[in-house]
């Protein structure tokens, strides 16, 4: 569960049928400190996604303009280096390509495909940043001058099982597929 204003992700134990769950979190990701930007800190986390093997959790750390991640393969989550960074001139638009590769103006959501590529929807930056599983910037789809490609507020991103990437282009009232 994303605890947006509490700057945490809370993980609960839920029965297989979804009817019973323990109200005490099994894990808490993020220390809950307001405006935290260090190790194990989140600043307004928005959503989570999991690696194909379910061993890594990715969190859209909106306030920090990065994708936070933890190794969850063991009994206790282990903080990993975050992916991406906030633009140097935030909150103004990011620099022009290629200077802005892997940077976010206002990260909103994160998704992961079956190959482990990580997608970050840059809401105000009007684009999608793509990273490999090691956190290296692979590509960008950006621009606030649509039609194609480009977005006016890339609000959400998701990946279908066959690899199609769907992006919600909020101000243009459309879904784009790649």
């Amino acid at each position: 569960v994303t605890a947006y204003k509490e700057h945490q992700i809370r993980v609960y134990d839920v029965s297989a049928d979804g009817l019973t769950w323990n109200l005490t979190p099994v894990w808490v990701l993020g220390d809950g400190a307001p405006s935290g930007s260090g190790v194990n800190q989140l600043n307004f986390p928005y959503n989570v996604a999991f690696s194909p093997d379910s061993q890594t959790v990715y969190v859209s750390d909106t306030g920090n303009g990065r994708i936070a991640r933890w190794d969850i393969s063991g009994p206790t989550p282990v903080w990993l280096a975050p992916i991406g960074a906030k633009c140097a001139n935030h909150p103004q638009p990011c620099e022009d390509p290629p200077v802005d590769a892997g940077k976010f103006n206002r990260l909103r959501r994160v998704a992961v495909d079956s190959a482990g590529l990580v997608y970050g929807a840059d809401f105000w930056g009007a684009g999608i940043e793509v990273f490999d599983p090691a956190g290296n910037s692979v590509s960008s789809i950006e621009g606030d001058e649509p039609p194609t490609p480009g977005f006016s507020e890339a609000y959400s991103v998701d990946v279908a099982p066959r690899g199609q990437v769907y992006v919600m282009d909020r101000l243009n009232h459309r879904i784009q597929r790649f």
Side-chain angles (χ1 to χ4, degrees):
V1 176
T2 303
Y4 182 77
K5 291 183 179 180
E6 288 79 26
H7 313 288
Q8 295 178 327
I9 302 297
R10 297 181 185 148
V11 181
Y12 296 93
D13 188 16
V14 181
S15 65
D17 62 10
L19 298 176
T20 308
W21 58 323
N22 187 336
L23 297 180
T24 302
V26 176
W27 291 336
V28 176
L29 306 177
D31 67 1
S35 302
S37 62
V39 172
N40 196 40
Q41 293 185 321
L42 298 170
N43 189 0
F44 296 109
Y46 204 81
N47 83 315
V48 299
F50 296 90
S51 61
D53 63 5
S54 299
Q55 301 299 303
T56 305
V57 63
Y58 298 90
V59 178
S60 59
D61 189 4
T62 302
N64 287 315
R66 66 185 183 184
I67 299 171
R69 59 187 179 156
W70 280 266
D71 177 339
I72 57 171
S73 62
T76 304
V78 176
W79 172 266
L80 302 172
I83 296 174
K86 194 180 283 188
C87 293
N89 53 345
H90 172 80
Q92 300 303 314
C94 292
E95 301 84 350
D96 289 331
V99 176
D100 67 342
K103 295 182 181 174
F104 298 103
N105 187 308
R106 181 60 73 180
L107 173 66
R108 177 59 81 192
R109 296 181 199 259
V110 63
V112 180
D113 71 14
S114 61
L117 292 176
V118 181
Y119 299 79
D122 192 2
F123 182 57
W124 287 345
I128 301 297
E129 295 295 325
V130 184
F131 302 89
D132 67 18
N136 301 304
S137 177
V138 173
S139 64
S140 298
I141 304 169
E142 57 184 276
D144 52 9
E145 296 297 329
T148 307
F151 313 98
S152 265
E153 296 185 0
Y155 189 76
S156 184
V157 61
D158 208 348
V159 184
R162 292 189 190 189
Q164 301 95 338
V165 178
Y166 292 88
V167 181
M168 182 177 141
D169 184 0
R170 184 170 172 238
L171 292 184
N172 288 305
H173 309 283
R174 64 184 179 183
I175 303 291
Q176 291 194 56
R177 181 183 70 176
F178 298 90

